[in-house]
Amino acid sequence: DTEVTQTPKHLVMGMTNKKSLKCEQHMGHRAMYWYKQKAKKPPELMFVYSYEKLSINESVPSRFSPECPNSSLLNLHLHALQPEDSALYLCASSLRENYGYTFGSGTRLTVV
Amino acid sequence: DQQVKQNSPSLSVQEGRISILNCDYTNSMFDYFLWYKKYPAEGPTFLISISSIKDKNEDGRFTVFLNKSAKHLSLHIVPSQPGDSAVYFCALRAYNNNDMRFGAGTRLTVKP
C-alpha cells in the first residue's frame, strides 16, 4: 500500500456544523501533515505530526483541531468554520528519513 | 515572505519539445529540493528531487538542475508529452526539518 487515503473527497458544511476530515496511510510513515490549498495557490502547511505528537502548528485558528490517534491515522476536526475556509485540504505523510511527501488526493471543503 | 518563487505561472510547449520549469529561492538553509506534479482534483505527486550536494539528477525524461550559487532550480522534461500537462510545484526543505516550502506553481500545457 503506497497511498495516502483521505475521506471524504467532498464536504459541504454550514458555519455552525462540526465535521471531521480523515487521513490514513499504511506505509509506516511517522510524519503526517495537513496542508490547505486555495485555488491557484501552493499548498500551505497547517500542522505537522511527528511520531504521533504535534510538532508544528502554523498559527492555525482554533476552529481547526488536529488529532493523531495512531501512527496510521490523522484527523482534522472542524467547527464553526467561515466561508473563507473553503479550500482543498491535503494530507501528506513521509518517512523520517525520506524527504519526499506522499500526498492524498484531498478533501474539497465548501463552507456555506 | 516569499522564500520560493516560480515566476512563470504558465508555460505552453509543443509535443516532443523540451519543457523547462524554473524555481528561485532566497534562503540558503534549504538543502533538499523537490518537484511535484499536480493534476486537477488530485493531490500533488512526487516527481524528482535533488540534494544540495549535487547539481543534476536525471530520471527518464525528467532532469532537475541545481545552481546553488544562483539559488536556482530547474526541471527539464524532454521530450514533452501531452500527459505532462499539469501544474508543477517546486518544494524546498531544510535538513532535518519537516516543513516544506512550495512555490506558487507553473501550469504546463503540452500541445499535440
Side-chain angles (χ1 to χ4, degrees):
Chain A
D1 188 352
T2 58
E3 291 185 349
V4 173
T5 303
Q6 288 187 246
T7 55
K9 291 193 182 303
H10 300 274
L11 178 62
V12 178
M13 62 184 290
M15 290 188 283
T16 58
N17 291 159
K18 284 185 181 181
K19 297 286 184 183
S20 297
L21 309 184
K22 297 186 183 303
C23 175
E24 190 168 0
Q25 58 85 16
H26 297 286
M27 295 178 281
H29 290 178
R30 301 310 297 270
M32 296 185 75
Y33 314 81
W34 281 115
Y35 278 83
K36 173 181 177 179
Q37 186 177 22
K38 302 282 276 186
K40 299 184 180 180
K41 297 286 187 183
E44 294 178 355
L45 184 67
M46 299 176 72
F47 302 105
V48 179
Y49 272 84
S50 181
Y51 289 86
E52 296 91 73
K53 293 191 188 310
L54 184 65
S55 64
I56 295 178
N57 176 343
E58 290 285 330
S59 302
V60 179
S62 60
R63 58 185 184 268
F64 295 91
S65 174
E67 178 198 18
C68 190
N70 61 55
S71 61
S72 298
L73 295 174
L74 184 66
N75 298 321
L76 186 62
H77 303 298
L78 314 171
H79 174 55
L81 295 194
Q82 305 296 311
E84 59 265 28
D85 296 322
S86 298
L88 180 69
Y89 287 84
L90 293 163
C91 174
S93 70
S94 69
L95 275 173
R96 187 172 175 270
E97 298 80 12
N98 181 352
Y99 291 88
Y101 289 0
T102 301
F103 281 88
S105 57
T107 294
R108 174 77 57 191
L109 175 67
T110 304
V111 182
V112 297
Chain B
D1 176 17
Q2 267 195 298
Q3 297 186 49
V4 184
K5 292 183 181 180
Q6 291 179 254
N7 290 319
S8 298
S10 63
L11 174 68
S12 183
V13 172
Q14 204 67 34
E15 180 179 7
R17 299 292 186 102
I18 186 171
S19 296
I20 301 177
L21 300 117
N22 294 304
C23 178
D24 295 289
Y25 61 99
T26 56
N27 190 338
S28 57
M29 292 300 291
F30 294 126
D31 71 348
Y32 202 81
F33 308 88
L34 308 95
W35 284 96
Y36 283 81
K37 174 181 179 180
K38 186 181 185 299
Y39 293 114
E42 294 184 13
T45 55
F46 171 71
L47 195 57
I48 192 169
S49 65
I50 189 169
S51 71
S52 60
I53 60 174
K54 295 186 175 182
D55 55 17
K56 177 182 175 181
N57 187 27
E58 191 172 352
D59 183 4
R61 297 185 297 114
F62 302 91
T63 303
V64 56
F65 294 93
L66 175 63
N67 183 334
K68 282 188 67 180
S69 60
K71 295 189 176 66
H72 180 79
L73 181 72
S74 64
L75 174 68
H76 293 207
I77 306 173
V78 56
S80 302
Q81 300 174 353
D84 296 329
S85 298
V87 177
Y88 289 79
F89 293 100
C90 63
L92 281 61
R93 188 168 189 170
Y95 176 73
N96 220 21
N97 186 339
N98 279 326
D99 184 9
M100 280 207 304
R101 302 285 167 174
F102 286 85
T106 297
R107 181 175 299 280
L108 173 67
T109 303
V110 180
K111 298 180 179 179

